[in-house]
Every structure is written in C-alpha cells, then in structure tokens.
Amino acid sequence: MEEVVGKIWDKWITSQVTTDHVDTKVHFSELQSQLLIYYRAMGGDGAKSIEMAEKRELNIHRSTMQKIAGSHKQFYVSWQDERSLRLPPYIALFTDKNLNQSLYFWLTALAAQLDKQRRSAQLNTHDTNNHDANNSGSVLNQNDWFNDNQQATCHLITEYAGLRRLYSTLAHEVLRLRSIEIDASLKKQPTSSLSHHLFKGDFFNKDNDLEQAEKAIATVLKIPGVINQYPPCSKDVLPVPLWLYPPIDVQGQGANFDPMDEKNNQKNSKRKPGELQEIEQRKKAQYADDNRKTDGLLVFQAEALMTWTEQINLDRCQSDEDDDADVTQIAKDLDIISLSRHRKANAARIRFDLDLPAAAQDDLRLGDGILLPEWDYKQQRLVDNACVLQTMISDDVEPMALSSEYQKLSQDILALFAHIGLTPNRRKAQPSGDEIDLDAWIDNFALPVKDSSKQAFYIDTQHQNRDVNCLILADLSLSTEAYIDDKQRVIDVIRDSLMVFSEALTRLGDDFALYGFSSVRSQHVRFHIFKNFDMPHSDHVRGRIARIEPGYYTRMGAAIRQSSQLLSQRGGANKVLLIITDGKPNDLDQYEGRYGIEDTRQAIVEAKLLGLVPYCVTIDKKGHDYLPYLFGSNGFAIVSNASELPRVLPKIYLHLTAVH
Amino acid sequence: MTLDTRIETATEAMTKKANSCYYQVQDNEVDIFNFAMAHNLPILIKGPTGCGKTRFVEYMAQELERELVTVSCHDDLTAADLLGRHLVSSDGTFWQDGPLTRAVRNGGICYLDEIIEARKDTTVVLHSLSDHRRELYLERTGEVIKAHKDFMLVVSYNPGYQNMMKGLKPSTRQRFVAMSFDYPTPENEADILVHEAGISLELAKTLVKLGADIRRLSDIDLKAAVSTRLLIYAAKMMSSGCHAQMACLHCIIEPLTDETETNKALSTLVNAHF
C-alpha cells in the first residue's frame, strides 16, 4: 500500500513541476546523422562526433514545489569539447514539435560557430603560447560563456537570414517560458517561513544577484551582444536552452598522460578525462586520488569507507565487452565514476593478459622493427619515429589445402567473376575492331536502302588487362573476438573472407598481398605477413590465414603507412589498399579517440598522395560516424550483416576495380 | 612580331571586344592560354565539375576566333571515334575524318572534355600530336598528317573522380601545359550568378555562402562539391520567381545526393540561409 501511494505521489508531484511537453518531444537519435552533416556544413570540426549529453548539476533557485519533488537539480545542457558535441537526448521544451526540432539545429549551428571562433582564437594565440592555446577550449569561465555565446549568436543571425528568423522565434518562446519559471520560483516564495525571516538580508541579497543575472540573460537573449559583463552571482541562472555550456570541468585537464606509464602514475597529478565505451551517455569521469597506498597498518573510520558505488576500480583500458552486467548497470546508474589507475586492483576482471606471448610461442619477428611517423593533430605535424612496427610471419604453419566448405564458397564467387569476363570478349557488329564481321556486312549488303550511319562490320576482341595490385590489410585487434552470432566470431568471418578472397584474386590474375595488424602501444605495432606480392598463393599462405588469432589494439595509422610503402613500390597503374576492420582506430595510449582518428586520416591522405586507392570495408554499423571523415564518402563500405562479408567483399572489390 | 607583342595584341583585342560568351576571368588563365598558344603547346585543364573549364575554352576560342571542336569523352569512345573510320558507300569504301583529324587538318581548337572518361588506348593517339612532332598518324590509311599551324589541343579532366581504373597515364600528362581550376572566389562567383541569372547581388551572395557551406561536406558526406553551374541553375529558377527553398532543393540538393539524411540536413541548411 505504501508503495502504491508513494508511486501515485511521485507521479503527481513530478507532473506538478515538469515543464516538458511529452506530445511534442523530439529525440536526439532521430536527428543524429542529420545534425552531424549540418554541423560539418556550418563549419564545425569534421573529426568531431555528436553524442547525447548527460545531465549536469546546476545550482538554480528552486521553487518549494520543485524542492519537494526533488527535481530541477540536474539538466540536460549542450556542450562540446575536443572530441564531440553533446546535445540533450530529447527536447520537449516547446509545444510546437518543429520548434523543438529546430532547437537541435540551432544548437548545432551555434556549436559549429563556437568551434570556428575557438579555432581562430587558437590560431591567434598559437605563436605566443602553445600550451595555453591547447587549453583555451576547455577552460571557460562564466564570463567567457556569456560572451562567446553572444558573439556566436550575433554572427549567425547576421550571416544567416533563416537563422535570424528562427532565433527570434526561439528566443521569444524561451523568454516567455523563463518569465513564467522565474515568476514561479523567485517571486512566489513562502514569506512566512521562519528561515526566510532569519536569513532575510542574505537571502534577498542573493536573490538580487540572481535577478540581475537573470535580467542580463534575458536582455542578451533578446538583443545578443548588448552586455559584455556577466553579473557575479553565487547561484546558477536557469538553464539557457539556446546556448552551449562549457565542457565539464575536469581537474588538470589537458596534459598528455600515458596511462601505461606506471612509473609516472605516482608523480603525475595531471590527467586527461577518460571514457567508457559501453555507456551511451558518457559519464562524468573523475579520477579519484588512489595513488596513496597504505603501508600495512590500516586506519580507517568505518563511516568514511567508500561504498562500491562511489569508487570502482574500473579499468578504462580493458576490453569494452565486459560481460559483467552488474558493473555496467551500476555504471549507468552513477553520475560520476571514479576511475582508478591501478590495473592490479581489478586484475581478476580483465579478460586478457596484456603481456605479449613468449618469444618461443610468438610469430617469427623479421628484423628489429621499422620506425614510422605519426600525425600529432595538436601540433599539426608528423612526428618522426613515433612508433615501431614489427613485421612478423608465422614460421611453423602447416600447409593447408582449400577445405571443401571454402571450395563451395569460392565456386560461387568465381562464378560471379566469370560473369564479368576473364576471357577475351568478342563483340560483333562493331564500328571498329580487329576482324571483319562478314555476317553484318552481308546483312547490310542485302538491304535495298543502306544507312551509312549504321556501318558496323567488325568483330571487336577486348582483352581484359586489369593491371591491378591489391594489398589487403586486415584488422586483427582483440575486438574481432566478439561474436556476431551463435557460431561465428568477427575474426572467423575475416579469416573466411581472406581465404575465399585470395582464391578469387588468384583466379582474377590481380597481384595481391595479404597482411594483418594489431598493436600494443606505439612501441609494438604487429604487422603480420600472410602473403606478400612476390609469394605465390599456396597452401602455406592458406595455412597462415587459417592460424590468424585476434589480439591487442588497432593502431591503424602505422599499419596503413607501412602498407602504403609496400604497395607504392609496385609497378602498374592501379593500386588498391583494401582495409578490413571492425571499428575505430584505438590503442592504449593517446591513440584512443581523436588522436587515432586524425593519425589514421593523415595516413590515408598520404596513401592517396602516393597514388593509391585506400578503401575500407567495415562491419561496424556505427561506421557512418567516422568513416566519411577518414576515407571520404565514396571510400568505404559498411557490411551490415557481418556473416556475409566473405561473399560481399569480392563484390565490393569488383565494383571498385570495374573496368569500363 | 615578337612573342610579347603578339600576346599583348591578342589580350588587348580581347578586352575591347564585346563578349557574346560570358566568362569571368579568375586568375592568369587567359595569359597562360595565350602563352601556350603562341608556342603551339597543348593544354591540360584540371578542375572539379561545373567550375567553368568548358566555358573558358569556349571563351578563348571565341576571343581567338578559332573554330572549336569539342568532344565529350565517354566510356565507349574509341580511337576511331576521334580519328575517323572507313565507311562504305555505293561507290565502295571511303575514309571519313573524325573530329580530331578534322581539327588537325584544318586548324582550330580540339577540346577533349573529361578525357579521363575515355579508354586508355584512346589517349595514346594524342602522344605524337602533343609533343614537338605535332603530327597525327592514321593507322587505317597509313597517312601521317602534319598539324595545321592554327591547331591546338586542349584536354580537361576532373581529378576528383576516384575511380581507380580511370586516370591519365603519366606519359600522357607530361605532354601538356597544365592549369588547375577551382570554384571561383566568393566575389567572382556572386558576379557570375548576377550576370548569368540576373538576380540581385545580395541574393547571389547568399547563394554563394550556401555553396561554400555545402562545399565543406565534399569528400566527407558528399561525393562532389556543389558546382557553380548548379548555383547558376538555382539562381536562374529564382530569378523567374521560383521559391528559394524549392530552387535550392531541386537545383542543388537533389543533384548532389541520394541519401535521405543528407538531403534533410542540407534542406535545413538552405532554410538557415533564406
């Protein structure tokens, strides 16, 4: 009974304070892909993605009703940082659905404009102080927030007539809603309460500040750019839905911190924010100071012990397929996750061992490794000798003939290839050709009236001269260990694809090489040879393909650079670099996130400059978020049904190299 | 007459003449064309689709008062289509010159548009024509034709097309004086829109800004950038009373993309501008 009453009460009290219009709610997920394109078109950084924002705590003045309901503490506000733009998961502010939708686009346009402003500011300060420039995007005080938003708004409404109209509608509506809200929370305070009388002076004073701030906001929403000083105020103003908020403040953000460098762990107090891949709405990440280790004698106060929900020694470096549902659930429920740097603490949960296999069990290393550069997007330059690529080959493979199941699959694909004609194609009745087509001549001769424009008496023999070199680079990172269905893992599909595809290429007569890659930080990029261009396709090659196993991470840039080098040394006119992958570039160090994306992009740009055609085939359904930026709109294909990869891959290749 | 004076007279004559073919000069392309012409050097023009390559060649032909033979190259274009072929008539067979052979014999500018689209064996026939020999060899008849003194070869292609099987051989490329074209500067592009479509400068500027925004998406979300030609189409439709949103949808967005989401995002972008 108590529970039922509680539920009814909760429902009622929430309905009393909620201002959302459920009927006209617009969800972020419906618009995500459009917003991303819009963001880029408006001049936003092409490497950024758009994600859902999480709730943020704002210390606003709440009405009694809101206090009773326990609502209006946290709000979905929009913000952006170096990696992405965060927008509310839904907008239900207005009674008009179109207006709610337009607000998404307004925020995106504003974010793009703010991004442009930030970049030009960085460019200006770059010469004087590089370090400050790097941080200027993240450290924003309230006054900057107040002014930057105004400046961006001013720019948009002067440059874009349509946005000017939209803004005036949005601003008018927002101001109307704000005045209702302010009336409710500021003016209708219960005056008889004891506390109010006791702290009257203080309260009024604070309210006065807040009123000034609210007035300032209202004025600049109406006429952006008229006030450039934000009145100091101890509380937060009501959330401004038309503006972007500063990035979530993380202590000491911005320093380059290598999470693998355990020695530095003890000294370095500056850290960069972490993230959890699994949880869609990124959680506010805060590194707890767990560097102090106890020295045996444990002195503690029981009541000060942190509960599991307050501090989890969650290892951000671990695989993102943690199957412990509880941890995931807890993580979703938490607002702030304290990330521990100490991998040991949760060692039992880590699904794989980061230590590399013993030399005896590992593939044979060829040479000492190759030093390769990497692109540092912050410095906008290639950093020489940034990573070491180790070429490896399986030296003790069993030669393997093509198994019957692969033979069946290969037959199907070869049938497809035969269709495009590997034998010379004789076309009759051509206007030009190598032989005379007597039939056509006689036909024409027999006609009483001859049409001189239709004189096609030749047989044209077309030789298929493909002249294609193809290097296939397969991603063998640990993420390929994931299961796509009950039977198959991603790596199995990749193995089958390589097996079948290499048969097809042999039949087609194209020169090809097969490589695979994975990485453990910059010092160990593993580059496996299955077949180089000079090796004939043989049972040994099949044996090596059959042995591929997933492991480690995806330092894609280095592997692409090395492959480009190998491919560019080949003669011939057409060189395809075919990359088969299952996700974004990532590694344990700074390669995760934007650095990895930018480095990979740069490696692809370099490949194109070498005259190669890089093409990516992925099974990552979210590939649309980042692949256009890496490979261009016609530089990739997403195979939505992963198990179809072995069949689809040859088709994609044929399409790519189709002879006209 | 020295080379310099010849070029000067040509350029002068050009500026004085009333133009029937409108072309907005972007940079020094007219000078380069004149210099190359003075030495009978072949020209290669690179540039994205609809940026004014063909218009430029037409303009130069008109200014120089030369006959212009334009061949739009395509997948099935064979060497015979350019050189000519034997045809059969009631009197027996006879040789029919192709467009290239005609220009080589009689003088004139032969313009091979989008040469990258033609088969590779086709471009090889240009080799002897585009170096110091300036002669065309007709295999079928065994004839060697010395190029007319007024003959000039101009080819163009769009380097943005990423079909790997298509591309000019380095040996072909290295026979040309090459120029890169790009979309006009915003000021020039607005002028072109005003001139071509007769819209107001203010409207032209808005269209150009829209174009610049959409061009940010090329190679990421769009396969090709919005061309000046498409902007002119939109401007023309607007000048005859078509609503801005409708004109932009049908002249700019629909030709650029088949993706529904991209289409919607671009429509919202158009709404932001108008």
Side-chain angles (χ1 to χ4, degrees), chain A residues 441 444-445 450 452 455 457, chain B residues 86-94:
Chain A
W441 158 253
N444 186 66
F445 198 72
K450 295 178 178 59
S452 64
Q455 306 218 335
F457 306 131
Chain B
H86 276 114
L87 297 178
V88 184
S89 74
S90 53
D91 303 330
T93 60
F94 68 96

Side-chain angles (χ1 to χ4, degrees), chain A residues 25 60 76 120 203 221 348 370 394 406 455 469 479 512 626:
Chain A
K25 193 186 262 192
I60 67 158
Y76 289 116
S120 65
F203 211 110
L221 281 181
I370 303 157
S394 304
Y406 287 137
Q455 306 218 335
N469 283 283
S479 54
F512 70 101
Y626 56 93

Side-chain angles (χ1 to χ4, degrees), chain B residues 184-236:
Chain B
T185 58
E187 296 78 29
N188 278 344
E189 200 165 34
D191 285 346
I192 292 169
L193 293 186
V194 170
H195 191 280
E196 289 278 313
I199 53 170
S200 70
L201 185 62
E202 197 188 346
L203 191 55
K205 280 182 176 166
T206 312
L207 263 176
V208 169
K209 265 196 285 179
L210 172 69
D213 280 353
I214 297 178
R215 279 174 198 155
R216 290 204 188 99
L217 299 175
S218 36
D219 292 336
I220 301 178
D221 300 292
L222 294 174
K223 288 188 174 71
V226 56
S227 62
T228 308
R229 180 169 42 222
L230 286 183
L231 293 181
I232 294 171
Y233 286 0
K236 280 186 174 168

Side-chain angles (χ1 to χ4, degrees), chain A residues 30-31 33-38 40-44 46 105 116 158-165 427 431-433 441 452 455 457-458 460 462 465-468 573-576 601 608 612-613 628-629 631-634 636 656-660, chain B residues 74-76 78-81 85-90 93-94 116-120 140 160-167 206 209 212-214 216-224 245 259-266 268-274:
Chain A
E30 297 162 16
L31 296 173
S33 52
Q34 287 182 45
L35 290 169
L36 187 60
I37 297 169
Y38 191 70
R40 287 177 185 148
M42 295 300 285
F105 284 98
K116 277 197 276 184
T158 41
E159 289 293 313
Y160 295 86
L163 287 183
R164 182 161 55 240
R165 281 199 311 275
R427 294 199 297 177
S432 65
W441 158 253
S452 64
Q455 306 218 335
F457 306 131
Y458 294 93
D460 192 12
Q462 289 188 326
N465 183 15
R466 289 180 50 85
D467 193 15
V468 179
N574 308 302
K575 298 163 194 169
V576 186
R601 182 176 201 249
K608 284 181 180 166
L612 315 178
V613 179
Y629 183 69
F631 290 86
S633 63
N634 48 356
F636 67 93
L656 187 66
T657 61
V659 186
H660 55 266
Chain B
H74 53 82
D75 289 1
D76 283 334
T78 60
D81 293 328
R85 57 168 54 94
H86 276 114
L87 297 178
V88 184
S89 74
S90 53
T93 60
F94 68 96
I116 213 162
E117 294 289 329
R119 301 154 80 100
K120 279 190 179 142
R140 303 272 167 90
Y161 284 149
Q162 265 293 338
N163 185 330
M164 51 155 304
M165 300 302 283
K166 292 176 180 178
T206 312
K209 265 196 285 179
D213 280 353
I214 297 178
R216 290 204 188 99
L217 299 175
S218 36
D219 292 336
I220 301 178
D221 300 292
L222 294 174
K223 288 188 174 71
Q245 270 87 349
E259 303 273 333
T260 333
E261 292 294 295
T262 315
N263 191 317
K264 282 183 190 163
L266 291 183
T268 320
L269 184 70
V270 169
N271 291 339
H273 280 276
F274 293 99

